[in-house]
């Protein structure tokens, strides 16, 4: 592998694939101190309210969703972004269009360093 291939990604398919739920998949790009997750969330996905130790920032790249965080619900449009402190209950609900969200985790989530399945988080219930 050339040095360029270690830090340069041509498409989302270059990331590590992970199926989080039946309607949520992601591609992961992992650095030393941060992790990018490009999540594709299907239409009419109901939230699984969960938390994890890592801080998480997100930006809605495509579609629409309702961001649920610490009991508050906010409608999000393309380009909106948010910050979720570690151990804060959160999730998203989508409508007809579904959503594509770019999440940034710090530090990288240990459970997501390899391909696989599962949300791998602390569960708080469904929204």
């Amino acid at each position: 592998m050339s040095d360029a291939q270690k830090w340069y990604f041509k498409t989302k398919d270059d990331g590590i694939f992970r199926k989080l739920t039946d309607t949520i998949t992601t591609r992961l790009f992992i650095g030393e101190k941060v992790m990018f997750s490009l999540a594709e969330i299907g239409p009419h996905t109901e939230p699984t309210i969960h938390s994890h130790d890592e801080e998480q920032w997100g930006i809605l790249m495509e579609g629409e969703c309702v961001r649920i965080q610490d009991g508050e619900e906010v409608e999000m449009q393309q380009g909106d972004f948010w910050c979720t402190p570690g151990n804060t209950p959160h999730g998203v609900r989508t409508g007809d269009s579904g959503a594509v969200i770019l999440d940034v985790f710090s530090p990288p989530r240990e459970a997501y360093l390899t391909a696989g399945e599962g949300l791998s988080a602390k569960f708080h219930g469904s929204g």
Side-chain angles (χ1 to χ4, degrees):
M1 178 184 303
S2 75
D3 285 345
Q5 289 172 313
K6 292 179 185 176
W7 60 266
Y8 180 74
F9 305 96
K10 297 267 283 169
T11 72
K12 68 178 182 176
D13 293 336
D14 291 340
I16 297 169
F17 179 79
R18 195 164 174 86
K19 179 181 175 183
L20 302 182
T21 71
D22 286 340
T23 58
I24 304 173
T25 61
T26 190
R27 291 288 181 160
L28 299 155
F29 301 86
I30 303 163
E32 184 179 327
K33 301 201 188 260
V34 298
M35 169 185 284
F36 277 23
S37 169
L38 188 59
E40 296 184 11
I41 305 170
H44 305 288
T45 295
E46 287 298 319
T48 300
I49 305 302
H50 66 281
S51 67
H52 39 75
D53 294 336
E54 300 81 9
E55 178 179 32
Q56 177 180 346
W57 283 79
I59 182 168
L60 182 59
M61 306 295 290
E62 297 176 19
E64 299 175 345
C65 69
V66 173
R67 177 72 181 172
I68 303 163
Q69 184 164 307
D70 218 7
E72 185 176 358
E73 297 190 13
V74 178
E75 290 189 28
M76 297 288 176
Q77 305 296 317
Q78 185 174 338
D80 290 346
F81 58 98
W82 52 85
C83 177
T84 305
N87 298 306
T88 301
H90 63 278
V92 297
R93 177 175 48 250
T94 59
D96 292 339
S97 65
V100 175
I101 297 172
L102 176 62
D103 285 315
V104 180
F105 296 95
S106 180
R109 295 189 65 186
E110 287 281 330
Y112 291 179
L113 296 179
T114 58
E117 290 191 24
L119 195 56
S120 189
K122 300 170 191 170
F123 291 95
H124 302 275
S126 54

